[in-house]
Amino acid sequence: MRIDIITCVPKLLESPFSHSILLRAYQKGLAEVVVHDLREYSVNKHKQVDDYAFGGGAGMVLMIEPIAACIRNLQSQRTYDEIIYMTPDGEQFSQGMANQLSMQKNLMILCGHYKGVDERVRQQFITKEISIGDYVLSGGELAAAVVADAVIRLIPNVLSDETSALTDSFQDHLLAPPVYTRPAVFEGMEVPEVLLSGHEAKIDDWRFQQAQQRTKQRRPDIWEKHWKG
Ligand code: ADE
């Protein structure tokens, strides 16, 4: 998979893809993230990418010309399955959406900044609008990193143990059960005995019970929707 991210603050995206699982995904040739600086597509010599909003009001708006130039340049090189705009008024991001996106080949993600982008960008180019939650970030960059991370780790063979993505919270409408590692006793606090028993079926059963209990207590909304009745 290839993910192209368009931003006017590329420095914000320098680190997230250079470590750990996402770095390994890149090294294994499974996922590549390419960050594009919107300023390089500015149509004037001041490298301007934003301007005052027509009609007045506080805050700058990202201009359509540099965005159109950048998107068209990328589109001339490959076909994109989705051109995503990160925005708090988009569709709420979920594990289900991450699963769907992980099956695509080429994604483009546009990050908003300041007051957002000229509405005509959304009408003309964007195929999907995503919010990562009901709060406002200073720009779409951190949100884009969240989406890219959640998607890339689901690509087959990115995680060394294939089953570990399948047992994530939300994957089966259940929160993940508690996990423990050595030591078996810490300051008198013991690991549940069943986990030390080596009895696989009993351990699976315990984990399922715990996952259900956790979901019921912490996310009654998920419990009601998928498990009740
Ligand atoms: N840009 C600013 N806030 C955002 C949010 N909550 N989700 C996605 N993009 C954003």
Side-chain angles (χ1 to χ4, degrees):
M1 170 185 284
R2 177 178 163 123
I3 304 180
D4 290 277
I5 305 182
I6 305 171
T7 168
C8 57
V9 201
K11 276 199 175 304
L12 274 176
L13 290 165
E14 265 172 19
S15 176
F17 308 107
S18 318
H19 306 279
S20 183
I21 290 170
L22 301 189
L23 174 63
R24 259 183 287 135
Y26 172 71
Q27 288 168 338
K28 287 194 218 165
L30 297 170
E32 183 181 14
V33 178
V34 185
V35 177
H36 303 271
D37 185 352
L38 201 50
R39 278 175 217 285
E40 287 175 13
Y41 294 85
S42 170
V43 290
N44 66 35
K45 61 175 188 280
H46 307 292
K47 299 238 176 246
Q48 186 186 359
V49 290
D50 59 337
D51 210 336
Y52 296 100
F54 278 129
M60 305 294 274
V61 177
L62 288 178
M63 302 161 84
I64 191 167
E65 289 122 312
I67 295 173
C70 184
I71 291 178
R72 286 183 175 139
N73 176 43
L74 291 171
Q75 281 177 322
S76 72
Q77 297 167 51
R78 65 196 65 77
T79 303
Y80 286 87
D81 301 297
E82 296 283 4
I83 303 182
I84 298 165
Y85 175 50
M86 301 309 305
T87 174
D89 62 6
E91 187 185 342
Q92 172 105 34
F93 190 53
S94 64
Q95 193 65 40
M97 207 190 285
N99 288 340
Q100 280 169 8
L101 291 174
S102 74
M103 291 184 271
Q104 305 296 357
K105 192 163 181 282
N106 295 311
L107 299 176
M108 201 189 301
I109 306 182
L110 172 65
C111 304
H113 223 81
Y114 317 112
K115 275 285 159 204
V117 297
D118 188 305
E119 187 65 20
R120 292 166 292 184
V121 169
R122 300 169 74 161
Q123 291 165 349
Q124 185 69 25
F125 297 106
I126 300 301
T127 61
K128 193 173 188 64
E129 302 192 324
I130 302 180
S131 163
I132 61 160
D134 287 346
Y135 41 81
V136 179
L137 303 165
S138 10
E141 288 76 13
L142 298 181
V146 165
V147 168
D149 182 303
V151 168
I152 291 171
R153 63 192 294 288
L154 294 173
I155 297 170
N157 302 319
V158 163
L159 297 181
S160 40
D161 178 0
E162 269 258 53
T163 59
S164 68
L166 298 175
T167 56
D168 282 345
S169 280
F170 306 112
Q171 213 47 279
D172 44 10
H173 307 298
L174 279 178
L175 299 186
V179 290
Y180 299 85
T181 186
R182 287 186 290 182
V185 184
F186 175 71
E187 295 179 358
M189 290 185 286
E190 290 177 10
V191 170
E193 218 177 302
V194 60
L195 297 178
L196 310 174
S197 70
H199 196 302
E200 233 176 276
K202 276 192 188 156
I203 292 172
D204 284 350
D205 189 51
W206 180 86
R207 287 188 170 143
F208 184 56
Q209 301 293 333
Q210 291 286 321
Q212 285 194 314
Q213 199 176 312
R214 236 175 214 198
T215 308
K216 209 171 180 174
Q217 277 168 357
R218 297 180 184 205
R219 292 298 301 272
D221 55 322
I222 297 177
W223 182 259
E224 295 277 323
K225 191 165 166 206
H226 296 282
W227 292 93
K228 220 177 151 204

